[in-house]
Amino acid sequence: MPDKRRKPERETPRKEKLCKRCGAPFRWNERRAQDWDIAKYCSPGCSGHTKDEPTAELEAAILSLLAERGAGKTICPSEAAKLVGGNVSRHDWESLMEPARDAARRLAKQGRIVVKQKDRIVDPRITQGPIRLQLP
């Protein structure tokens, strides 16, 4: 006979973690609540990627993937992140997703690619959600 009592909700453990780069301990906080399960670094500086840092490697990966696909075909920014970060596990390339989107924004601003969403060209500065990249 099944239990009639409701089981308590399970929470993600809020244990202290060690930074993968510098080894410093860092704790759970509200800012990290959403991505606590995948957090590996104590700060953006330790992750090696800052918001303003130009990532030429990601830009080159985007352009080479688009060139391989050919005219009229699209790619997802995650494909460039996987190429640069290594496609071993999701945790290896997931931290490169926002830098890959930033690289796509820079390339779109230069006119080298277009950013599409639902088969329409969109402004990459204000677009949220999944995007696709294509050669103009």
Side-chain angles (χ1 to χ4, degrees):
M1 178 172 223
D3 292 339
K4 299 225 177 195
R5 285 184 293 161
R6 186 174 182 174
K7 294 182 180 177
E9 296 292 326
R10 293 185 183 175
E11 289 186 25
T12 301
R14 298 179 181 179
K15 297 179 182 175
E16 191 175 78
K17 292 186 173 185
L18 295 177
C19 178
K20 190 174 179 181
R21 173 165 288 170
C22 69
F26 61 99
R27 296 183 177 270
W28 182 93
N29 59 30
E30 289 296 325
R31 183 178 55 88
R32 294 180 184 262
Q34 190 173 7
D35 63 349
W36 181 247
D37 292 333
I38 60 169
K40 295 188 284 185
Y41 304 105
C42 63
S43 67
C46 273
S47 71
H49 301 284
T50 59
K51 189 170 177 92
D52 298 327
E53 177 183 301
T55 313
E57 197 174 356
L58 282 167
E59 290 177 6
I62 290 170
L63 293 173
S64 69
L65 285 168
L66 286 170
E68 285 176 16
R69 294 273 167 93
K73 302 290 182 180
T74 63
I75 65 163
C76 179
S78 66
E79 295 176 49
K82 288 174 186 175
L83 186 66
V84 172
N87 200 6
V88 178
S89 73
R90 183 178 180 132
H91 299 298
D92 293 337
W93 58 265
E94 197 169 52
S95 64
L96 291 173
M97 275 305 297
E98 195 53 40
R101 288 176 68 101
D102 289 339
R105 288 184 196 106
R106 283 191 299 276
L107 289 170
K109 186 177 180 180
Q110 296 168 4
R112 298 172 75 183
I113 65 169
V114 292
V115 177
K116 292 183 136 189
Q117 194 170 43
K118 296 183 181 177
D119 291 329
R120 291 190 308 255
I121 295 175
V122 294
D123 184 2
R125 294 173 295 157
I126 58 173
T127 302
Q128 293 181 343
I131 59 173
R132 302 291 293 178
L133 311 176
Q134 183 179 19
L135 290 173

